[in-house]
Amino acid sequence: MYRRVAAIVFGVTLRPTITDLDAEQRPRERLVRHGSTALTDAELVALLLGSGRRGANAVDLAAELLHEHGGLAGLRHVDVAALARVPGVGTAKAARIVAALALTSRGARAEDERPVIRRSADVARVTAPAFVGARRERVALVVCRPGNRVLETIVVADGGAHGAAFPVREVLADVLRRDGVAFALAHNHPGGDPAPSDADRRTTAALRSAAEDVGLRLLDHLVVAGSEWRSVLNAT
C-alpha cells in the first residue's frame, strides 16, 4: 500500500515486487505446484536472486542479467566479481548464481559419463559389483534413460535357500519410479553354471511382455556365474 501511495504522490513508476503478484503468478509457488519446467529462465534465476532492486523486481533483474550476458549459456561463464558489480546483485546473490550454474554443468557432465547399454557385455560389466561375495541368488536391475544410458543399478531381490524370486511388478515399478524407459536384469547362479534354466526363460518372457504393456523395453537378462554369463533374452 505504501509503495502505491508513494508512486501517486511523487510520480514514481514502480514495478510490482514479487510479493505484489498473485500467489499463482509467483515463481516460487509455481515451482512448487508445477515444477521447474513451468518457469522461464528469468524466473528460475530470480529465485536464486531472492530480491531485486529499487524499480526492478527479482524477475526484472534476472531478465537483465540474462539479456546482458547472452542467456544462461553466457551467464555460466561470468564470475562472482563481475556479477556482484551489477546494481541489486552483490556478492551473496552472485555467489548463489555462479554455484547453481556450476552444479548444472557438473550434473550434465556426470550424466554424459554414465555408461550406455549397447550389448550383453555392458550389462555384465555394470552389474558385476552387485554379485561380489554373493553366495545366494541375487537379482540386479539396471534402469536406463533414453539412449539406454544407465541411470541407476540396484539390487531388487536376494534369494533364500531355494533361489531368488523375480518380483515382476516391483521391477517395473522401480523403473517407472525412476523415470526409466528401458531396463536390463542380471541374476547369479551360485552353483557355477551360467546356463539359463526353463524358469529363467519363462520369467524373461513374462518380464518382456509386462514391460511392453507399460511402454518399457527389456534390453537384456543375464545369468551370471563367477566371471561367466549368458543372455537369457538372446537364448529364448
Side-chain angles (χ1 to χ4, degrees):
M1 181 66 181
Y2 173 79
R3 297 177 77 257
R4 295 192 183 94
V5 171
I8 295 172
V9 173
F10 298 107
V12 178
T13 301
L14 296 177
R15 291 279 291 162
T17 65
I18 298 298
T19 55
D20 289 332
L21 299 174
D22 292 336
E24 294 78 10
Q25 296 178 305
R26 298 172 190 169
R28 182 181 300 168
E29 283 74 7
R30 289 176 56 222
L31 176 68
V32 172
R33 292 178 183 176
H34 307 295
S36 60
T37 57
L39 275 65
T40 65
D41 291 347
E43 289 173 323
L44 291 171
V45 174
L47 288 175
L48 295 171
L49 288 169
S51 62
R53 64 168 182 261
R54 183 174 179 81
N57 62 33
V59 177
D60 296 329
L61 181 54
E64 177 185 321
L65 293 175
L66 290 167
H67 176 74
E68 182 177 344
H69 297 288
L72 285 174
L75 192 59
R76 187 175 288 115
H77 300 292
V78 183
D79 61 23
V80 172
L83 282 177
R85 288 194 291 269
V86 177
V89 178
T91 301
K93 294 178 182 179
R96 284 199 296 268
I97 292 173
V98 170
L101 293 177
L103 283 174
T104 61
S105 295
R106 293 182 185 184
R109 287 197 301 272
E111 181 69 20
D112 290 340
E113 292 168 358
R114 291 180 181 269
V116 175
I117 301 300
R118 296 187 176 91
R119 56 186 68 86
S120 299
D122 297 327
V123 179
R125 182 176 62 256
V126 169
T127 58
F131 302 115
V132 174
R135 297 184 178 181
R136 295 184 175 181
E137 281 196 12
R138 177 174 292 172
V139 182
L141 167 67
V142 183
V143 183
C144 295
R145 290 190 181 278
N148 298 341
R149 190 172 294 278
V150 175
L151 172 63
E152 190 173 355
T153 302
I154 57 175
V155 173
V156 292
D158 265 312
H162 303 290
F166 278 81
V168 175
R169 290 185 179 180
E170 289 80 356
V171 166
L172 299 181
D174 276 326
V175 177
L176 293 170
R177 186 162 49 244
R178 289 166 171 79
D179 294 326
V181 299
F183 66 99
L185 285 165
H187 79 278
N188 62 324
H189 279 183
D193 183 3
S197 66
D198 289 340
D200 293 333
R201 294 186 177 90
R202 288 194 298 270
T203 298
T204 299
L207 275 167
R208 181 161 52 182
S209 176
E212 290 173 353
D213 288 342
V214 294
L216 299 175
R217 182 185 174 202
L218 173 60
L219 299 175
D220 212 335
H221 177 194
L222 303 187
V223 176
V224 179
S227 61
E228 296 185 64
W229 51 265
R230 298 288 187 274
S231 170
V232 187
L233 188 65
N234 295 332
T236 54

